[in-house]
Amino acid sequence: MEKVDIFDGHNDAILSITDYTADGRDFLVRSERGHLDLPRAREGKMVGGLFAISAHPDIEPKDDLTITHKGYEVRYADALDPEQARLQIDRQVSALKTLIERAKGQIRLVCRVDDITAALDVSALAVVLHMEGAEAIDLDLSYLDTLYDHGLRSLGLVWSRPNAFGYGVPFAYPWSPDTGPGLTDAGKRLVKRCNALGIMIDISHLNERGFWDVAALSTAPLVATHACAHAVCPSTRNLTDRQLHAIRDTDGVVGMNLSVNDVRADGNLDDDTSLEVVVRHIEYLVSRMGIDRVALGSDFDGAVIPREIKDASGLPRLIDAMRRAGFSETDLRKFAFDNWLRVFGLTWKEGKSSARSNGAY
């Protein structure tokens, strides 16, 4: 059986690299901390991914988790100051560029589909710059243009907090994703500007009304870089069948999130979650959307993931579990790689040329 190259739809590794934070990990050196670095990516056949930049408060709130008789609720996160968010994002972009310089050709920032396949040809890790939460973007959207010039090609409108553009879902289980208002007028302008530039819009963390606003406005395929099915696990972070069908109907993609509390039917934060449970969740997504519209969106370095995977080096174990469950080699290539390249090609203004991939593209 052939090895399958893997392109991952979401990770938070940039926030943990030494180039950004003094107590971080050197991404070029194998570590047992966290989930992702270059050596472990190579061990796991991870050839690229969407690498997230995101802003956070200087001091994270404490005692914000409430255990209920059915599950849990987390206090809705406060909005961030846009200027402080912009300073953090500038530092993270600079840190990524420093890392790429240090890597001496082992890592490439990619902005086109052809860039991704060219990186594969020289065994370089292909990094797509993604931003999770638009707090740093000003209302005239000029900073969005600046980030685009830096290589931004994917934007999550919100994290699980409100901002000037829309409302994220608070973390809760069991709960509906219909938790508040939709996009603001500024959010609607942001969607249109992303379409014009060719920046992929990520609806992960967005509440349901915001989702339907994006669906009504966007001319690009609908994409969730890291999410799961609400019918399997009724977390606010997960997508209803109706949302899954809407993504399917636009030829979009859902990146299957490996965060155990969004994968497990009971919503428990328990890393003793078997690969069979993960694969059954993937099978559900495929049953609703088709194999061409389900991919991987691990959330490495941003979530608790199944112990059997452990980190990026364990991704082949997930592929093997899918193979044992009856997924064909063509199915596996689509899930692991081809589906992301297809949706990039449909979205990025400079990404529509044909390119080599694991299989047909």
Coordinates of all heavy atoms in Angstrom, one line a residue, residues 157-158 165-169 176-184 187-188 191 201-228 236-255 289:
L157 N -13.4 34.4 9.8 CA -14.0 35.7 10.2 C -13.9 35.9 11.7 O -13.8 37.1 12.1 CB -15.4 35.8 9.6 CG -15.6 35.6 8.1 CD1 -17.1 35.7 7.8 CD2 -14.8 36.6 7.3
V158 N -14.1 34.9 12.4 CA -14.2 35.0 13.9 C -13.5 33.8 14.5 O -13.3 32.7 13.9 CB -15.6 35.0 14.4 CG1 -16.4 36.3 13.9 CG2 -16.4 33.8 14.0
F165 N -16.9 42.2 12.9 CA -17.4 41.6 11.7 C -18.5 40.6 11.9 O -19.3 40.2 11.0 CB -16.3 41.0 10.9 CG -15.2 42.0 10.6 CD1 -14.0 42.1 11.4 CD2 -15.4 43.0 9.6 CE1 -13.0 43.0 11.1 CE2 -14.4 44.0 9.4 CZ -13.2 44.0 10.1
G166 N -18.5 40.0 13.1 CA -19.5 38.9 13.4 C -19.4 38.3 14.8 O -18.7 38.9 15.6
Y167 N -20.0 37.2 15.0 CA -20.1 36.6 16.3 C -19.7 35.1 16.2 O -20.3 34.4 15.5 CB -21.5 36.7 16.8 CG -22.0 38.2 16.9 CD1 -22.5 38.8 15.8 CD2 -21.8 38.9 18.1 CE1 -22.9 40.2 15.9 CE2 -22.2 40.2 18.3 CZ -22.7 40.8 17.1 OH -23.1 42.1 17.2
G168 N -18.7 34.8 17.0 CA -18.3 33.4 17.1 C -19.2 32.7 18.1 O -20.0 33.3 18.8
V169 N -19.2 31.3 18.0 CA -20.0 30.6 18.9 C -19.2 30.4 20.3 O -18.0 30.2 20.3 CB -20.3 29.1 18.4 CG1 -21.3 29.2 17.3 CG2 -19.0 28.4 18.0
S176 N -26.9 24.3 20.4 CA -27.1 24.6 19.0 C -26.0 25.7 18.6 O -25.6 26.5 19.4 CB -28.4 25.2 18.8 OG -28.5 25.9 17.5
P177 N -25.5 25.7 17.3 CA -24.7 26.7 16.8 C -25.4 28.0 16.6 O -24.8 29.0 16.2 CB -24.1 26.1 15.6 CG -25.1 25.2 15.1 CD -25.7 24.6 16.3
D178 N -26.7 28.0 16.7 CA -27.5 29.3 16.5 C -27.5 30.0 17.8 O -28.4 30.0 18.6 CB -28.9 28.9 16.1 CG -29.8 30.1 15.7 OD1 -29.2 31.2 15.6 OD2 -31.0 29.9 15.6
T179 N -26.4 30.8 18.0 CA -26.2 31.5 19.3 C -26.2 33.0 19.3 O -25.9 33.6 20.4 CB -24.8 31.0 19.9 OG1 -23.8 31.4 18.9 CG2 -24.7 29.5 20.1
G180 N -26.6 33.6 18.2 CA -26.6 35.1 18.3 C -26.8 35.7 16.9 O -27.2 35.0 15.9
P181 N -26.6 37.0 16.8 CA -26.8 37.7 15.5 C -25.8 37.2 14.4 O -24.8 36.5 14.7 CB -26.5 39.1 15.8 CG -26.5 39.2 17.3 CD -26.1 37.9 17.8
G182 N -26.1 37.5 13.2 CA -25.2 37.2 12.0 C -24.1 38.2 11.8 O -23.7 38.9 12.8
L183 N -23.7 38.3 10.6 CA -22.6 39.2 10.3 C -23.1 40.7 10.4 O -24.2 41.0 10.2 CB -22.1 39.0 8.8 CG -21.5 37.7 8.4 CD1 -21.0 37.8 7.0 CD2 -20.4 37.3 9.4
T184 N -22.1 41.5 10.8 CA -22.4 43.0 10.8 C -22.3 43.5 9.4 O -21.8 42.8 8.5 CB -21.4 43.7 11.7 OG1 -20.1 43.6 11.1 CG2 -21.4 43.1 13.1
G187 N -18.9 43.0 8.4 CA -18.6 41.6 8.1 C -19.0 41.3 6.7 O -18.3 40.6 5.9
K188 N -20.1 41.9 6.2 CA -20.6 41.6 4.8 C -19.6 42.2 3.8 O -19.3 41.7 2.8 CB -22.0 42.1 4.7 CG -23.0 41.3 5.5 CD -24.4 42.0 5.5 CE -25.3 41.2 6.4 NZ -26.7 41.8 6.4
V191 N -16.5 39.9 3.6 CA -16.8 38.8 2.8 C -16.6 39.2 1.3 O -15.9 38.4 0.5 CB -18.2 38.2 3.0 CG1 -18.5 37.2 1.9 CG2 -18.3 37.5 4.4
I201 N -12.6 32.1 2.6 CA -13.3 32.4 3.8 C -13.6 31.1 4.6 O -14.2 30.2 4.1 CB -14.6 33.1 3.5 CG1 -14.3 34.4 2.7 CG2 -15.4 33.4 4.8 CD1 -15.6 35.0 2.1
D202 N -13.1 31.1 5.9 CA -13.3 30.0 6.7 C -14.4 30.3 7.7 O -14.4 31.3 8.5 CB -12.0 29.7 7.5 CG -12.1 28.6 8.5 OD1 -13.0 27.8 8.4 OD2 -11.2 28.6 9.4
I203 N -15.5 29.4 7.7 CA -16.6 29.7 8.6 C -16.5 28.9 9.9 O -17.4 28.9 10.8 CB -18.0 29.3 7.9 CG1 -18.0 27.9 7.4 CG2 -18.2 30.3 6.8 CD1 -18.4 26.8 8.4
S204 N -15.4 28.3 10.2 CA -15.1 27.6 11.5 C -15.3 28.7 12.6 O -14.9 29.8 12.5 CB -13.7 27.0 11.6 OG -13.5 26.1 10.6
H205 N -15.9 28.3 13.7 CA -16.1 29.2 14.9 C -17.2 30.2 14.7 O -17.6 30.9 15.7 CB -14.9 29.9 15.4 CG -13.8 29.0 16.0 ND1 -13.8 28.6 17.3 CD2 -12.7 28.4 15.4 CE1 -12.8 27.9 17.5 NE2 -12.1 27.7 16.4
L206 N -17.8 30.3 13.5 CA -18.8 31.3 13.2 C -20.2 30.7 13.7 O -20.4 29.5 13.5 CB -18.8 31.6 11.7 CG -19.8 32.7 11.2 CD1 -19.4 34.1 11.8 CD2 -19.7 32.8 9.7
N207 N -21.0 31.6 14.2 CA -22.3 31.1 14.6 C -23.2 30.8 13.4 O -22.8 31.2 12.2 CB -23.0 32.0 15.6 CG -23.5 33.3 15.0 OD1 -23.5 33.5 13.8 ND2 -23.8 34.3 15.9
E208 N -24.4 30.2 13.6 CA -25.1 29.7 12.4 C -25.7 30.8 11.6 O -25.7 30.8 10.4 CB -26.3 28.8 12.9 CG -27.0 28.1 11.7 CD -28.0 27.0 12.1 OE1 -28.2 26.9 13.4 OE2 -28.6 26.4 11.2
R209 N -26.2 31.9 12.2 CA -26.7 33.0 11.4 C -25.6 33.7 10.6 O -25.8 34.1 9.5 CB -27.4 34.0 12.4 CG -28.6 33.5 13.1 CD -29.3 34.5 13.9 NE -30.2 33.9 14.9 CZ -31.0 34.5 15.7 NH1 -31.0 35.8 15.7 NH2 -31.7 33.9 16.6
G210 N -24.4 33.8 11.2 CA -23.3 34.3 10.4 C -23.0 33.4 9.2 O -22.6 33.8 8.1
F211 N -23.0 32.1 9.4 CA -22.8 31.1 8.4 C -23.7 31.4 7.2 O -23.3 31.4 6.0 CB -23.0 29.7 8.9 CG -23.0 28.6 7.8 CD1 -21.8 27.9 7.5 CD2 -24.1 28.3 7.1 CE1 -21.8 26.9 6.6 CE2 -24.1 27.3 6.1 CZ -22.9 26.6 5.8
W212 N -25.0 31.5 7.5 CA -26.0 31.7 6.4 C -25.8 33.1 5.7 O -26.1 33.2 4.5 CB -27.4 31.5 6.9 CG -27.7 30.1 7.3 CD1 -27.9 29.6 8.6 CD2 -27.6 29.0 6.4 NE1 -28.0 28.3 8.5 CE2 -27.9 27.8 7.2 CE3 -27.4 28.8 5.1 CZ2 -27.9 26.5 6.7 CZ3 -27.4 27.5 4.6 CH2 -27.7 26.4 5.4
D213 N -25.3 34.1 6.5 CA -25.0 35.3 5.8 C -23.8 35.2 4.8 O -23.9 35.7 3.7 CB -24.6 36.4 6.9 CG -25.8 36.9 7.6 OD1 -26.9 36.8 7.1 OD2 -25.6 37.5 8.7
V214 N -22.8 34.4 5.2 CA -21.7 34.1 4.3 C -22.2 33.4 3.1 O -21.9 33.7 1.9 CB -20.6 33.3 5.0 CG1 -19.5 32.9 4.0 CG2 -19.9 34.2 6.1
A215 N -23.1 32.4 3.3 CA -23.6 31.6 2.2 C -24.4 32.4 1.2 O -24.4 32.2 0.0 CB -24.5 30.4 2.8
A216 N -25.1 33.4 1.7 CA -25.9 34.3 0.9 C -25.1 35.2 0.1 O -25.4 35.6 -1.0 CB -26.9 35.0 1.7
L217 N -23.9 35.6 0.6 CA -23.1 36.7 0.0 C -21.9 36.1 -0.8 O -21.6 36.7 -1.9 CB -22.5 37.6 1.1 CG -23.4 38.5 1.8 CD1 -22.7 39.0 3.1 CD2 -23.8 39.7 0.9
S218 N -21.3 35.1 -0.4 CA -20.0 34.7 -1.0 C -20.2 34.1 -2.4 O -21.1 33.3 -2.6 CB -19.3 33.7 -0.1 OG -18.1 33.3 -0.6
T219 N -19.3 34.4 -3.3 CA -19.3 33.8 -4.6 C -18.3 32.6 -4.7 O -18.1 32.0 -5.7 CB -18.9 34.8 -5.6 OG1 -17.6 35.4 -5.3 CG2 -19.9 36.0 -5.7
A220 N -17.7 32.3 -3.6 CA -16.7 31.2 -3.5 C -17.3 30.0 -2.8 O -18.3 30.1 -2.1 CB -15.4 31.6 -2.8
P221 N -16.7 28.8 -2.9 CA -17.1 27.6 -2.2 C -17.1 27.9 -0.7 O -16.2 28.6 -0.2 CB -16.1 26.5 -2.6 CG -15.6 27.0 -3.9 CD -15.5 28.5 -3.8
L222 N -18.0 27.4 0.1 CA -18.1 27.5 1.5 C -17.1 26.5 2.1 O -17.0 25.3 1.7 CB -19.5 27.2 2.1 CG -20.5 28.2 1.7 CD1 -21.9 27.7 2.1 CD2 -20.3 29.6 2.3
V223 N -16.3 26.9 3.1 CA -15.2 26.1 3.7 C -15.2 26.2 5.2 O -15.3 27.3 5.7 CB -13.8 26.5 3.1 CG1 -12.7 25.8 3.8 CG2 -13.8 26.2 1.6
A224 N -15.1 25.1 5.9 CA -14.8 25.1 7.3 C -13.4 24.3 7.4 O -13.4 23.2 7.1 CB -15.9 24.3 8.1
T225 N -12.4 25.0 7.9 CA -11.1 24.4 7.9 C -11.0 23.4 9.0 O -10.2 22.4 8.8 CB -10.0 25.5 8.1 OG1 -10.1 26.1 9.4 CG2 -10.0 26.5 7.0
H226 N -11.7 23.5 10.1 CA -11.6 22.5 11.2 C -13.0 22.5 11.9 O -13.3 23.4 12.7 CB -10.5 22.8 12.1 CG -10.5 24.2 12.7 ND1 -10.5 25.4 12.0 CD2 -10.4 24.6 14.0 CE1 -10.5 26.4 12.8 NE2 -10.4 25.9 14.1
A227 N -13.8 21.5 11.6 CA -15.1 21.4 12.2 C -15.6 19.9 12.1 O -15.0 19.1 11.3 CB -16.1 22.3 11.5
C228 N -16.7 19.6 12.8 CA -17.2 18.3 12.7 C -18.7 18.4 12.6 O -19.3 19.4 12.4 CB -16.9 17.5 14.0 SG -15.1 17.2 14.2
T236 N -21.5 23.4 20.0 CA -21.7 24.6 19.3 C -20.7 24.8 18.1 O -21.1 25.4 17.1 CB -21.6 25.8 20.2 OG1 -20.3 25.7 20.9 CG2 -22.7 26.0 21.1
R237 N -19.6 24.2 18.2 CA -18.5 24.3 17.2 C -18.8 23.5 15.9 O -18.2 23.7 14.9 CB -17.2 23.9 17.8 CG -16.5 25.0 18.5 CD -15.7 25.9 17.6 NE -14.5 25.2 17.0 CZ -14.4 24.8 15.8 NH1 -15.3 25.1 14.9 NH2 -13.3 24.2 15.3
N238 N -19.8 22.6 16.0 CA -20.0 21.7 14.9 C -21.1 22.1 14.0 O -21.9 23.0 14.4 CB -20.3 20.3 15.5 CG -19.0 19.6 16.0 OD1 -17.9 20.1 15.7 ND2 -19.1 18.6 16.8
L239 N -21.2 21.6 12.8 CA -22.0 22.0 11.7 C -23.3 21.1 11.6 O -23.2 19.9 11.6 CB -21.3 22.0 10.4 CG -20.0 22.9 10.4 CD1 -19.2 22.6 9.1 CD2 -20.4 24.4 10.5
T240 N -24.4 21.7 11.5 CA -25.7 21.0 11.3 C -25.7 20.3 9.9 O -24.9 20.7 9.0 CB -26.9 21.9 11.4 OG1 -26.9 22.8 10.4 CG2 -26.9 22.6 12.8
D241 N -26.6 19.3 9.8 CA -26.7 18.7 8.4 C -27.0 19.7 7.4 O -26.5 19.7 6.2 CB -27.8 17.6 8.5 CG -27.3 16.4 9.2 OD1 -26.1 16.3 9.5 OD2 -28.2 15.5 9.3
R242 N -27.9 20.7 7.7 CA -28.2 21.7 6.7 C -27.0 22.5 6.3 O -26.9 22.9 5.1 CB -29.3 22.6 7.3 CG -29.9 23.7 6.3 CD -31.1 24.3 6.9 NE -31.5 25.4 6.0 CZ -31.6 26.7 6.4 NH1 -31.3 27.0 7.7 NH2 -31.9 27.7 5.6
Q243 N -26.1 22.8 7.2 CA -24.9 23.5 6.9 C -24.0 22.7 6.1 O -23.4 23.1 5.1 CB -24.2 24.0 8.2 CG -24.9 25.1 8.9 CD -24.2 25.4 10.3 OE1 -24.2 24.6 11.1 NE2 -23.7 26.6 10.4
L244 N -23.9 21.4 6.4 CA -23.1 20.5 5.6 C -23.6 20.4 4.2 O -22.8 20.4 3.2 CB -23.0 19.1 6.3 CG -22.4 19.0 7.7 CD1 -22.6 17.5 8.2 CD2 -20.9 19.4 7.7
H245 N -24.9 20.3 4.0 CA -25.4 20.3 2.7 C -25.2 21.5 1.9 O -24.9 21.5 0.7 CB -26.9 20.0 2.7 CG -27.3 18.6 3.4 ND1 -28.5 18.3 3.9 CD2 -26.5 17.5 3.5 CE1 -28.5 17.1 4.3 NE2 -27.3 16.6 4.1
A246 N -25.2 22.7 2.6 CA -24.9 23.9 1.9 C -23.5 24.0 1.4 O -23.2 24.5 0.3 CB -25.2 25.1 2.8
I247 N -22.5 23.5 2.3 CA -21.1 23.4 1.9 C -21.0 22.5 0.7 O -20.3 22.8 -0.3 CB -20.3 23.0 3.0 CG1 -20.3 24.1 4.2 CG2 -18.8 22.7 2.6 CD1 -19.7 23.6 5.5
R248 N -21.6 21.4 0.7 CA -21.6 20.4 -0.4 C -22.1 21.0 -1.7 O -21.5 20.9 -2.7 CB -22.5 19.2 0.0 CG -22.7 18.2 -1.1 CD -23.9 17.3 -0.9 NE -25.1 18.1 -0.9 CZ -26.3 17.7 -0.4 NH1 -26.4 16.5 0.2 NH2 -27.4 18.4 -0.5
D249 N -23.2 21.8 -1.6 CA -23.8 22.3 -2.8 C -23.0 23.4 -3.4 O -23.2 23.8 -4.6 CB -25.2 22.8 -2.5 CG -26.2 21.7 -2.1 OD1 -25.8 20.5 -2.4 OD2 -27.2 22.0 -1.5
T250 N -22.0 24.0 -2.7 CA -21.1 25.0 -3.3 C -19.8 24.4 -3.7 O -18.9 25.2 -4.1 CB -20.8 26.2 -2.3 OG1 -20.1 25.7 -1.2 CG2 -22.1 26.8 -1.8
D251 N -19.7 23.1 -3.6 CA -18.4 22.4 -3.9 C -17.3 22.8 -3.0 O -16.1 22.9 -3.3 CB -18.0 22.6 -5.4 CG -17.2 21.5 -6.0 OD1 -17.2 20.4 -5.3 OD2 -16.6 21.6 -7.0
G252 N -17.7 23.0 -1.7 CA -16.7 23.4 -0.7 C -16.1 22.2 0.0 O -16.2 21.1 -0.5
V253 N -15.6 22.5 1.2 CA -14.8 21.4 1.9 C -15.0 21.7 3.4 O -15.0 22.8 3.9 CB -13.3 21.5 1.6 CG1 -12.5 20.7 2.6 CG2 -13.1 20.9 0.2
V254 N -15.1 20.6 4.2 CA -15.0 20.6 5.6 C -13.8 19.8 6.0 O -13.6 18.7 5.6 CB -16.2 19.9 6.3 CG1 -16.0 19.7 7.8 CG2 -17.5 20.8 6.1
G255 N -12.9 20.5 6.7 CA -11.7 19.9 7.3 C -12.1 19.2 8.6 O -12.5 19.9 9.6
M289 N -21.9 14.6 2.5 CA -21.3 15.6 1.6 C -20.6 14.9 0.4 O -20.4 15.6 -0.6 CB -20.2 16.4 2.4 CG -20.8 17.1 3.6 SD -19.5 18.0 4.4 CE -19.1 19.3 3.2

